[in-house]
Amino acid sequence: MGLVLFPGDDDTSSPDVSWSCKEFAVFRRWLAQAEGFGLDEMQGFGGQRPWDDVRTPLAPFLDHPDGGGPDLSPLQCAAILPRLQEITDQCQERGADPLHRRHLTDARNLAVVLRFCVGKDVDLLFS
């Protein structure tokens, strides 16, 4: 089973990004770590730390159910995009192991989808 994130524009040729559920969990842990906290310490991920305790524009993405759940609005996508790009730029120089390269590729692919959602003023859907 996997997860696909795609624009809510009803066009099957629009960009999307996909992961297995395990890969998605690892990717989000990587992003949380880049933001200075462990995803496992957060409510909903086995920990007790409330999301109100974390200041990151990535919170709506990180604290989203793996499948279904509320869509992310174009405004939320617009808020996530610059921080995702900063993380990608900062982490590009940190290593060349295959998992690290995969995270960078996934972040870039997600940025393409987010940019599309913002440009077309459509929600980001999780399926």
Side-chain angles (χ1 to χ4, degrees):
M1 187 168 171
L3 177 70
V4 180
L5 279 61
F6 58 97
D9 65 348
D10 297 322
D11 183 349
T12 57
S13 67
S14 295
D16 62 40
V17 61
S18 62
W19 294 269
S20 72
C21 289
K22 181 179 178 181
E23 289 170 333
F24 186 60
V26 171
F27 177 67
R28 288 199 298 183
R29 282 183 175 82
W30 177 75
L31 287 175
Q33 190 65 41
E35 290 293 76
F37 64 94
L39 199 57
D40 293 338
E41 68 189 58
M42 303 307 296
Q43 288 177 347
F45 293 89
Q48 298 300 315
R49 187 174 178 185
W51 280 95
D52 293 343
D53 223 18
V54 176
R55 301 276 185 241
T56 174
L58 300 181
F61 177 77
L62 295 174
D63 187 29
H64 194 280
D66 287 356
D71 303 330
L72 295 184
S73 72
L75 288 175
Q76 289 172 307
C77 293
I80 292 167
L81 188 55
R83 183 61 189 134
L84 183 66
Q85 185 63 52
E86 288 172 3
I87 290 170
T88 304
D89 292 346
Q90 291 169 356
C91 292
Q92 189 168 342
E93 301 171 6
R94 289 193 188 155
D97 68 82
L99 182 59
H100 183 78
R101 285 194 309 268
R102 173 63 195 229
H103 291 324
L104 291 173
T105 298
D106 288 343
R108 288 185 191 110
N109 291 339
L110 176 58
V112 167
V113 177
L114 292 170
R115 225 176 267 112
F116 188 89
C117 289
V118 171
K120 295 287 186 173
D121 195 32
V122 296
D123 290 348
L124 176 66
L125 308 180
F126 288 63
S127 177

